[in-house]
Amino acid sequence: MNRLKIYRACLSVALICTILLMFFRVRWYLRTQIPDVVRVGVGDEQTLDLGLKEVSVQVVERKRVIPGGIPIGIYLETEGVYVVGTSEVESEDGLNYEPAYQVVQTGDYILAVNGKKIHDKDELIACVQANRSDIMILKLLRGSEVIQVRLNAVKTKEEDYKLGIWVKDDIQGIGTLTYITEDGRFGALGHGITDSDTGELLETSGGSLYDTNILEIVKGERGTPGEISGMITYSDRHVRGEIKKNTSAGIFGFVDQNIKSELEKEALEVGFKQEIRKGDAYIRSSVSGELRSYQIQIQEIRLNEDDVNKGMVFQVTDPELLELTGGVIQGMSGSPIVQDGKLVGAVTHVFVNDPTRGYGIFAETMVSTGE
């Protein structure tokens, strides 16, 4: 009798576990496999198996863009100076003080000191030295709120004055141009530029694109991402575009005629995310020094992924690209993904433990964000 009760209890537990598993599986399916919004081109007819979910169908004009794939030098100006953290300062009396503790926070932007606008670290240092130990009023951008705080600098044994704030200003790097439009607008990177210490998206006041030359390819290996090493020419003569905004879907702005002529070719339609299929696709990249297409396999499509930078999972299968880079490496972010003659996405991240695999953002998301 006791054995029978135990058997029934086990069956009940197994049934409950199965139901819960089915519940979470259906929930995952609805969240990731069926889109909330479906866009279709004017005149197109779409037949979708929507399963258990109602989907809003929006009729929109199909966009056409010129795919990129070329490396670009990026110079991004932050809004004021960005606070990385605070620390103690040893004063002239040998004691340690932390004047910015609980006054200035990591992630703040220092916009002005005593009413004087701050553009870079040197201006901040100059203001602190000029003010000495008098009370300073700092204008900060904290999230979406602009606030003012008061604090005093500490005089050190070297007779310098310090606030105990670690800051950074401008950001430089190499990425890949994803597309340009016929009127000269561009999208690049496929992900936002974030602070390496905090992971927060950087607030910017603008920036520029510059000529860049690839000098070396560091091949990616399991556990160690590879990278493109290059030289960026920072001079007025080599400015190739203007960065207008930094978003989670990439950087956007306008390019000059030089880039437009370098990429001049037939524009491609921007594929809607529900049109993407698992299977063959291509990455366009200039990592070899020549702009060409490399074969990949799209393995997974996440139509409602919360992270816009991880809408699809792909694997590099092209032997030449695998030999050259090992797969996806840093600097390839923004490389266009083309399938069935349409721009469907852009490379965003690499799998650290498998450099042959990477994530991609939907081109539809990038283009709509850039408008």
Side-chain angles (χ1 to χ4, degrees):
M1 189 65 178
N2 290 335
R3 185 176 298 176
L4 181 59
K5 288 182 177 179
I6 294 173
Y7 178 70
R8 286 176 176 173
C10 290
L11 283 179
S12 298
V13 171
L15 179 60
I16 292 171
C17 290
T18 301
I19 292 172
L20 288 173
L21 183 62
M22 289 178 63
F23 171 77
F24 286 112
R25 173 67 180 176
V26 170
R27 185 180 179 187
W28 172 86
Y29 179 82
L30 291 176
R31 283 173 52 83
T32 65
Q33 301 302 305
I34 299 179
D36 292 316
V37 176
V38 176
R39 298 182 177 89
V40 298
V42 176
D44 282 359
E45 294 183 5
Q46 295 286 338
T47 302
L48 300 174
D49 181 11
L50 302 179
L52 303 175
K53 185 177 180 180
E54 291 184 1
V55 174
S56 172
V57 177
Q58 298 178 354
V59 179
V60 299
E61 181 183 355
R62 279 192 177 271
K63 306 294 184 181
R64 296 183 67 88
V65 298
I66 298 169
I70 59 174
I72 49 173
I74 299 168
Y75 183 87
L76 202 63
E77 301 169 0
T78 59
E79 186 74 27
V81 294
Y82 182 74
V83 177
V84 177
T86 62
S87 65
E88 294 183 342
V89 178
E90 185 179 352
S91 72
E92 60 180 344
D93 60 12
L95 299 177
N96 290 330
Y97 299 90
E98 192 170 353
Y101 178 68
Q102 291 189 337
V103 178
V104 178
Q105 299 179 4
T106 299
D108 286 347
Y109 292 84
I110 302 175
L111 305 180
V113 176
N114 292 340
K116 182 179 179 181
K117 192 171 183 180
I118 298 297
H119 299 91
D120 55 40
K121 291 182 291 187
D122 292 338
E123 289 185 357
L124 176 61
I125 292 171
C127 283
V128 173
Q129 299 309 311
N131 196 75
R132 303 169 72 85
S133 58
D134 292 338
I135 291 176
M136 277 178 284
I137 299 176
L138 271 60
K139 182 180 179 182
L140 306 177
L141 175 64
R142 181 171 294 168
S144 59
E145 183 182 5
V146 176
I147 63 173
Q148 291 188 336
V149 299
R150 299 160 63 93
L151 71 166
N152 298 82
V154 172
K155 186 179 180 181
T156 68
K157 292 179 179 179
E158 295 78 18
E159 297 191 350
D160 288 332
Y161 292 86
K162 296 184 178 181
L163 295 175
I165 300 174
W166 293 95
V167 299
K168 62 172 62 174
D169 42 30
D170 300 337
I171 307 296
Q172 304 91 30
I174 294 176
T176 299
L177 187 75
T178 305
Y179 68 85
I180 62 173
T181 63
E182 292 182 353
D183 61 356
R185 289 178 290 114
F186 80 85
L189 291 187
H191 60 73
I193 297 177
T194 60
D195 176 65
S196 57
D197 297 301
T198 66
E200 296 293 325
L201 189 71
L202 291 172
E203 294 285 341
T204 64
S205 59
S208 300
L209 301 183
Y210 287 89
D211 281 331
T212 185
N213 295 309
I214 297 176
L215 301 179
E216 182 185 9
I217 300 294
V218 179
K219 194 171 182 179
E221 298 178 354
R222 185 179 296 274
T224 306
E227 65 177 351
I228 295 174
S229 176
M231 181 180 69
I232 303 172
T233 308
Y234 292 114
S235 71
D236 292 342
R237 291 194 306 112
H238 294 276
V239 174
R240 293 294 173 257
E242 182 180 8
I243 300 171
K244 287 295 188 180
K245 57 182 179 178
N246 174 38
T247 76
S248 59
I251 58 173
F252 302 93
F254 294 89
V255 295
D256 68 1
Q257 190 58 44
N258 290 295
I259 287 185
K260 291 177 69 175
S261 60
E262 186 176 350
L263 289 176
E264 193 161 347
K265 53 179 61 67
E266 184 179 356
L268 300 182
E269 286 187 350
V270 177
F272 297 125
K273 57 187 177 182
Q274 75 271 10
E275 296 175 327
I276 305 171
R277 58 178 177 80
K278 295 180 182 179
D280 291 341
Y282 296 89
I283 288 177
R284 288 174 56 83
S285 176
S286 298
V287 287
S288 68
E290 176 186 2
L291 183 59
R292 55 161 297 178
S293 297
Y294 297 97
Q295 191 166 23
I296 63 171
Q297 285 281 316
I298 296 177
Q299 298 179 324
E300 191 176 338
I301 302 163
R302 302 173 173 181
L303 296 178
N304 276 332
E305 173 63 43
D306 291 335
D307 188 340
V308 297
N309 308 128
K310 297 180 179 180
M312 65 181 83
V313 177
F314 66 87
Q315 183 166 32
V316 176
T317 56
D318 193 287
E320 291 188 31
L321 186 58
L322 290 172
E323 177 63 28
L324 178 65
T325 65
V328 181
I329 58 176
Q330 296 176 14
M332 286 179 65
S333 293
S335 299
I337 299 175
V338 177
Q339 186 182 67
D340 298 331
K342 297 177 182 177
L343 179 68
V344 298
V347 175
T348 56
H349 298 91
V350 61
F351 282 55
V352 176
N353 291 323
D354 185 359
T356 69
R357 301 178 72 212
Y359 291 106
I361 185 174
F362 297 125
E364 173 186 357
T365 301
M366 279 193 73
V367 173
S368 63
T369 303
E371 289 180 337

